[in-house]
Amino acid sequence: MTGPARTVLAGLDAVRSDVEDLYRDLHRHPELGLREHRTARKAADALRQSGYDVTEGVGGTGVVGVLANGDGPVVMVRADMDALPVRERTGLPYASTATVTDTDGREQPVMHACGHDVHVSCLVGCARLMAERRDAWRGTFVALFQPSEEDGAGADAMVRDGLTAKSPRPDVVLAQHVLPYPAGYVGTRAGSFLSAADSLRVTVHGRGAHGSAPQASVDPVVIAASIVVRLQTVVSRELAATTPAVVTVGSIHAGSSPNVIPDRAVLEINVRTYDNATRTQVLDAVKRIVRAECEGARSPEAPEFQRLSSFPPTVNDEEPTRRVADAFTAYFGDDAHTVELQTASEDMSEIPQAFGVPFTYWAIGGIDPDRYAEAARRGTVAQDVPVNHSATFAPVLQPTLDTGVSALTVAALAWLGETDAREPGSAPPA
């Protein structure tokens, strides 16, 4: 199965500098979700130059490029495009200094702190290679660039905007994510891979009073503090030790003066689980605890719950994952691994679900291998290796980009390169 892949990837040296230049450019010019106009234009222009039929503006800023190359399977490969409201501290010569104005009129820094610039650059490189060596495969290659993954809105936006009518129905959907593993690493995992994630905003009500007269109040700060402490028992005391889940209170806001007891407190809570039964159990427990603490404190109003975002679990289908894992082992050798369960979340699975087709999603590494090895030797990986969403997260250019381009190409050709794709009279693959 590596013959077509090696044929197509023989062109990697010729595209490497362009992929690196695109990565630096995208990293320097990050864009938040549903504002990825420049990024989407770059991707669309690159696809058109390679002969793709391109549809822009899907779900806002999404791009779909279709390259039909005779009868055969249809493979869709997805990359996400959006950045994060983070101020970059990498010190790179191509570091972002970009800012945007949010809906409240405040200036926010923007950074590609999650590696979506890697994803876009690698898919552009893969798409170009596939177009340049159409003699090595047969079928249809679909390159999909998705907006707004970070808030879980982008895949749904593309689906609601008619994605299934704007792209051929794929036989499989493929995607990858750069993670804090050594660059050159590729890792697959069948079944549960990424968690579901649900973010809630909870408003608890009290009765305001002077700080010198607490007896006249119902203090929402104390209610909020009790909720935070009690929520720590959901995972530790209500779930089996073998059932993974995370409950995080990431934000609390209450009051504006040290001598005024406010009349409300707002908590933002994030829940991560791996199956629907646990998801329901944990979310029910969060709401039960909030209501009970409010009732116990004599809160004058019932608490309010607002769903901020919701990500489905990413559960890789067995057969395509096995096929990709076998192709990676054949091509990458010892750099192909089984990756452990991740507590990060993704909305990518909504795309294959809309088409009713299987998918698989894998990891590539982005950390300088020597840096990672030294941290592993000292036992300080957690402290010394920047993780996604960190202000210092910046995948090394190589071998990260080469690995990403190669992984996408090898995986796609596990379907598209299955049959003899040569046209009559064409030269055999090298």
Side-chain angles (χ1 to χ4, degrees):
M1 204 56 59
T2 61
R6 295 195 184 280
T7 299
V8 175
L9 287 169
L12 183 58
D13 288 348
V15 305
R16 181 177 294 116
S17 63
D18 289 342
V19 172
E20 292 177 353
D21 287 345
L22 177 61
Y23 169 76
R24 293 187 191 94
D25 179 79
L26 296 178
H27 191 87
R28 187 180 286 114
H29 300 99
E31 297 171 299
L32 295 180
L34 298 177
R35 303 186 189 185
E36 310 97 334
H37 302 288
R38 184 180 184 277
T39 305
R41 187 171 64 254
K42 290 269 185 180
D45 289 348
L47 292 176
R48 285 196 180 93
Q49 290 170 12
S50 293
Y52 285 72
D53 181 13
V54 178
T55 303
E56 297 182 73
V58 184
T61 52
V63 177
V64 179
V66 179
L67 185 66
N69 189 35
D71 295 333
V74 178
V75 174
M76 176 179 283
V77 181
R78 172 269 199 180
D80 40 8
M81 300 187 290
D82 54 326
L84 286 159
V86 173
R87 189 175 303 282
E88 183 161 354
R89 294 192 293 108
T90 63
L92 291 169
Y94 49 88
S96 168
T97 58
T99 61
V100 297
T101 302
D102 66 16
T103 55
D104 295 325
R106 296 172 299 190
E107 188 176 65
Q108 284 187 325
V110 188
M111 174 193 173
H112 266 300
C114 199
H116 297 184
D117 46 355
V118 171
H119 305 165
V120 172
S121 303
C122 290
L123 182 50
V124 166
C126 170
R128 178 174 162 185
L129 290 176
M130 294 293 288
E132 290 178 352
R133 289 308 305 263
R134 279 176 258 194
D135 60 309
W137 59 276
R138 186 178 295 277
T140 299
F141 182 82
V142 181
L144 183 146
F145 295 87
Q146 180 203 307
S148 201
E149 181 277 331
E150 294 293 355
D151 62 3
D156 181 63
M158 293 190 79
V159 171
R160 286 188 289 105
D161 195 27
L163 173 63
T164 56
K166 296 174 180 179
S167 168
R169 184 176 185 269
D171 293 283
V172 67
V173 178
L174 309 173
Q176 66 185 10
H177 206 297
V178 61
L179 293 177
Y181 295 103
Y185 171 106
V186 293
T188 56
R189 183 182 184 87
S192 292
F193 182 20
L194 306 178
S195 71
D198 297 281
S199 292
L200 307 174
R201 178 177 291 133
V202 177
T203 303
V204 298
H205 298 278
R207 185 168 59 245
H210 196 288
S212 66
Q215 74 280 2
S217 76
V218 174
D219 193 337
V221 177
V222 175
I223 298 174
S226 298
I227 290 170
V228 172
V229 173
R230 183 68 181 176
L231 287 178
Q232 307 313 304
T233 67
V234 173
V235 175
S236 66
R237 290 297 177 267
E238 298 192 32
L239 299 181
T242 53
T243 301
V246 180
V247 177
T248 299
V249 180
S251 172
I252 303 178
H253 293 279
S256 58
S257 175
N259 67 341
V260 177
I261 295 172
D263 62 3
R264 69 182 57 200
V266 179
L267 304 89
E268 293 185 342
I269 302 168
N270 182 257
V271 172
R272 294 177 186 265
T273 53
Y274 290 92
D275 61 78
N276 287 329
T278 306
R279 189 180 198 179
T280 298
Q281 180 182 355
V282 173
L283 288 171
D284 286 350
V286 169
K287 293 178 180 179
R288 183 193 75 235
I289 286 169
V290 170
R291 293 184 179 119
E293 292 293 347
C294 289
E295 183 176 351
R298 299 176 295 112
S299 179
E301 296 181 46
E304 301 168 21
F305 298 90
Q306 177 187 357
R307 180 71 62 88
L308 298 178
S309 65
S310 183
F311 292 80
T314 301
V315 183
N316 282 332
D317 290 286
E318 296 280 344
E319 193 283 328
T321 304
R322 177 200 56 77
R323 190 185 294 207
V324 168
D326 288 348
F328 283 176
T329 298
Y331 188 83
F332 293 105
D334 291 343
D335 287 325
H337 304 266
T338 299
V339 66
E340 63 256 33
L341 198 65
Q342 303 288 313
T343 49
S345 302
E346 257 277 8
D347 67 346
M348 170 265 180
S349 62
E350 295 181 17
I351 292 171
Q353 182 179 31
F355 284 102
V357 301
F359 73 91
T360 190
Y361 182 102
W362 63 87
I364 63 170
I367 304 301
D368 177 85
D370 292 335
R371 178 179 184 179
Y372 192 97
E374 178 60 21
R377 185 189 65 78
R378 294 196 305 264
T380 59
V381 169
Q383 295 78 33
D384 295 343
V385 173
V387 298
N388 302 68
H389 291 214
S390 161
T392 58
F393 183 76
V396 293
L397 264 67
Q398 297 299 354
T400 305
L401 296 175
D402 277 4
T403 302
V405 173
S406 299
L408 294 176
T409 305
V410 169
L413 288 168
W415 281 265
L416 299 173
E418 274 195 321
T419 58
D420 187 351
R422 285 172 286 154
E423 297 291 342
S426 66

